[in-house]
C-alpha cells in the first residue's frame, strides 16, 4: 500500500516549506494528510476544502483501480471528533485538542481482560499474572504517546476488581482480610502502592511476581516526523535510525536509568541489550514484543540484574544479557583458584 499510494499527499494538495526556520512544516492554509497503509485522515481548514480534497483524491485513485469506502468515509467537524487507529481526536469546549484512546479501544481491552481472567478460574495466581502482564504492557506501550493518564487509572481500577473477584472465587470460604493479605501487598519495591496483585507462593531472589499496572507506564509525547520523511525512502535511512534510537523503550524508570547509563549495551559482551529496528505499530504487536522478551528470558536471552561485586563497577547494579550471566560461573571456574593465605 505504501508503494501503490505514494503521491497521495501531493494529490491532496499538501505542500511543505523547504527553507527557513519552518522548513518541513506545511504551507499556510494547506491540508494535512496522515496515512497508515490504506487508512487516512485529511485535516482541512474548511468544509469546502475537505470536499474539494476528497474529490481530488477520488480522481487520483480511480486510474489505480481504487475508491473510497463510502460507508467508512465521512467529513466531520473537529469538535465532533473522530476515531483513527484506535485513538479519538477531538477539540473540546475549552479549545484544547486532545488525542485519547478511543472508547471502542478501551471497551475491547476491558472485554479481553475480563475474558482472560474468567478463563483462568481454577488456575493459580502465577497463571493470571503471566497472561495479563503482556496485555497490560502492550496496550499501555501503544497508548503512552497520547493523553492516557485517566484511562490508565480507570483500567487499573477495573483490573483490580477483576483479580479481587478471581481471588474470592478461588477461595470462597476465606474472609476478605485473608484474601487481601494473601494476594495484595507492596510487591513492587520501587513503588509505595500496597494494592499490587502478586503471587507470594512464587517468591524468589527477584521478589514476588506481581501484576503490573497501566499507570506505571510513563506518558511520552510523540515526536512529529520531519516533512515528508518516509521509512521506505533509502535516502532517509540515517534519519529513521537516529529517531528510533531516541525512542525510549517502555521500561520502568529504574531499568531505563540503568539502560541509559550503560548506553544500551551489555557490559560483558558489548552488544545492544534491546534492539528495535522497527517499533511495534499496534497494541497486539507490542504484546507480541513483550511475549518474545519473555520467551527469550526462558531461552536465557533476556536482561537480568547483576550485583556488581568484584567487578569494575563496584557494587552498582547493571543490566546484562542472561546468556552472558550464564557464562559467568564457567568463566569463574576457569580462573585459577586462590592460594590460601600464609599465616
Amino acid at each position: 500500500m505504501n508503494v501503490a499510494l505514494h503521491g497521495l499527499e501531493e494529490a491532496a494538495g499538501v505542500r511543505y516549506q523547504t527553507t527557513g526556520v519552518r522548513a518541513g512544516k506545511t504551507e499556510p492554509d494547506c491540508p494535512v494528510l496522515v496515512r497508515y497503509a490504506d487508512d487516512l485522515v485529511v485535516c482541512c481548514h474548511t468544509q469546502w476544502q475537505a470536499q474539494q480534497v476528497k474529490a481530488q483524491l477520488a480522481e487520483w485513485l480511480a486510474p489505480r483501480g481504487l475508491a473510497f469506502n463510502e460507508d467508512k468515509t465521512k467529513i466531520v467537524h473537529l469538535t465532533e471528533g473522530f476515531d483513527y487507529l484506535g485513538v479519538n481526536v477531538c477539540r473540546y469546549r475549552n479549545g484544547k485538542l486532545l488525542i485519547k484512546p478511543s472508547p471502542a479501544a478501551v471497551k475491547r481491552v476491558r472485554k479481553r481482560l475480563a475474558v482472560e481472567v474468567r478463563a483462568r478460574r481454577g488456575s493459580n495466581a502465577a497463571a493470571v499474572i503471566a497472561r495479563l502482564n503482556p496485555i497490560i504492557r502492550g496496550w499501555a506501550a501503544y497508548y503512552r504517546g497520547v493523553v492516557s493518564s485517566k484511562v490508565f487509572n480507570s483500567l487499573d481500577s477495573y483490573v483490580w476488581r477483576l483479580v479481587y473477584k478471581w481471588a474470592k472465587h478461588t477461595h470462597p470460604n476465606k474472609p476478605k482480610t485473608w484474601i487481601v493479605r494473601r494476594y495484595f501487598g507492596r510487591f513492587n519495591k520501587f513503588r509505595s502502592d500496597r494494592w499490587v496483585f502478586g503471587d507470594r507462593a512464587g517468591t524468589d531472589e527477584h521478589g514476588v511476581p506481581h501484576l503490573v499496572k497501566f499507570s506505571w507506564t510513563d506518558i511520552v509525547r510523540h515526536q512529529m516526523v520531519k516533512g515528508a520523511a518516509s521509512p521506505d525512502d533509502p535516502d532517509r535511512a540515517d534519519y529513521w535510525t537516529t529517531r528510533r534510537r531516541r525512542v525510549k523503550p517502555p521500561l520502568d524508570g529504574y531499568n531505563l536509568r540503568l539502560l541509559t547509563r550503560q548506553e544500551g549495551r551489555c557490559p560483558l559482551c558489548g552488544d545492544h541489550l534491546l534492539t528495535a529496528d522497527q517499533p511495534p505499530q499496534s497494541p497486539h504487536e507490542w504484546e507480541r514484543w513483550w511475549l518474545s522478551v519473555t520467551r527469550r528470558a526462558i531461552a536465557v536471552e533476556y536482561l537480568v540484574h547483576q550485583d556488581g561485586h568484584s567487578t569494575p563497577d563496584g557494587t552498582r547494579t547493571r543490566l546484562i544479557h542472561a546468556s552472558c550471566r550464564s557464562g559467568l560461573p564457567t568463566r569463574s571456574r576457569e580462573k585459577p583458584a586462590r592460594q590460601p593465605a600464609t599465616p
Side-chain angles (χ1 to χ4, degrees):
M1 294 307 299
N2 286 338
V3 174
L5 297 179
H6 183 68
L8 196 68
E9 280 191 305
E10 290 78 0
V14 181
R15 301 291 182 268
Y16 293 99
Q17 298 185 15
T18 57
T19 59
V21 294
R22 292 184 54 83
K25 305 289 185 180
T26 54
E27 294 281 358
D29 298 327
C30 230
V32 175
L33 186 145
V34 180
R35 178 176 63 85
Y36 180 81
D38 60 341
D39 293 326
L40 62 91
V41 168
V42 184
C43 300
C44 303
H45 296 273
T46 62
Q47 183 178 4
W48 177 83
Q49 187 183 46
Q51 294 170 346
Q52 185 182 33
V53 169
K54 182 182 177 182
Q56 293 174 195
L57 293 180
E59 183 180 355
W60 186 85
L61 291 171
R64 293 162 175 80
L66 301 172
F68 284 115
N69 184 342
E70 295 297 338
D71 294 334
K72 297 181 179 180
T73 305
K74 57 182 180 180
I75 297 176
V76 297
H77 197 273
L78 201 54
T79 54
E80 301 175 42
F82 61 90
D83 293 344
Y84 181 63
L85 298 181
V87 300
N88 177 264
V89 183
C90 182
R91 187 181 298 280
Y92 293 86
R93 292 181 180 178
N94 57 6
K96 286 187 177 181
L97 173 67
L98 298 181
I99 304 176
K100 301 179 180 181
S102 67
V106 176
K107 184 178 180 180
R108 284 195 302 268
V109 73
R110 280 173 172 258
K111 182 178 179 180
R112 187 178 179 197
L113 290 168
V115 169
E116 296 292 352
V117 173
R118 193 176 299 112
R120 274 145 191 84
R121 287 183 175 179
S123 302
N124 56 16
V128 176
I129 294 170
R131 188 67 193 99
L132 294 189
N133 271 347
I135 299 175
I136 295 173
R137 290 181 185 274
W139 204 88
Y142 178 76
Y143 287 101
R144 64 177 179 157
V146 297
V147 183
S148 305
S149 296
K150 290 184 178 179
V151 175
F152 284 177
N153 289 329
S154 67
L155 287 174
D156 285 336
S157 299
Y158 181 71
V159 172
W160 188 93
R161 292 194 296 270
L162 288 177
V163 294
Y164 181 73
K165 187 176 180 180
W166 172 91
K168 288 200 302 181
H169 182 273
T170 305
H171 306 281
N173 298 324
K174 294 294 184 180
K176 295 179 180 179
T177 54
W178 186 92
I179 290 175
V180 170
R181 286 197 304 268
R182 171 70 181 271
Y183 289 107
F184 296 93
R186 195 175 283 107
F187 298 138
N188 188 331
K189 60 183 178 181
F190 302 108
R191 297 182 181 274
S192 59
D193 189 348
R194 68 184 186 91
W195 290 104
V196 179
F197 180 81
D199 178 24
R200 294 183 187 274
T203 305
D204 55 18
E205 66 274 11
H206 301 294
V208 179
H210 57 273
L211 195 65
V212 299
K213 293 192 174 184
F214 289 92
S215 58
W216 292 353
T217 300
D218 293 332
I219 302 298
V220 180
R221 290 289 175 253
H222 172 74
Q223 297 294 323
M224 297 291 290
V225 178
K226 291 184 178 179
S230 170
D232 300 318
D233 187 353
D235 295 333
R236 293 281 190 167
D238 293 338
Y239 166 77
W240 285 102
T241 301
T242 304
R243 179 184 173 87
R244 287 165 187 155
R245 286 176 181 172
R246 291 177 179 173
V247 177
K248 297 179 180 180
L251 301 174
D252 58 87
Y254 178 71
N255 284 309
L256 204 56
R257 286 193 297 272
L258 292 176
L259 198 66
T260 304
R261 188 174 69 190
Q262 299 171 198
E263 297 181 350
R265 294 183 179 273
C266 175
L268 299 182
C269 66
D271 291 338
H272 285 284
L273 290 166
L274 292 174
T275 56
D277 295 333
Q278 181 62 42
Q281 301 294 324
S282 69
H284 289 290
E285 288 185 14
W286 274 111
E287 182 182 337
R288 287 196 294 269
W289 184 83
W290 279 107
L291 286 172
S292 66
V293 168
T294 304
R295 292 196 184 99
R296 287 201 295 270
I298 297 172
V300 196
E301 291 285 342
Y302 186 41
L303 313 178
V304 296
H305 292 280
Q306 181 197 13
D307 191 2
H309 291 295
S310 65
T311 64
D313 292 336
T315 58
R316 290 192 305 176
T317 302
R318 55 186 184 170
L319 293 175
I320 63 172
H321 288 114
S323 55
C324 297
R325 184 194 185 194
S326 63
L328 284 176
T330 304
R331 287 195 289 268
S332 63
R333 287 195 297 268
E334 293 174 353
K335 294 181 180 180
R338 289 186 177 182
Q339 298 297 325
T342 305

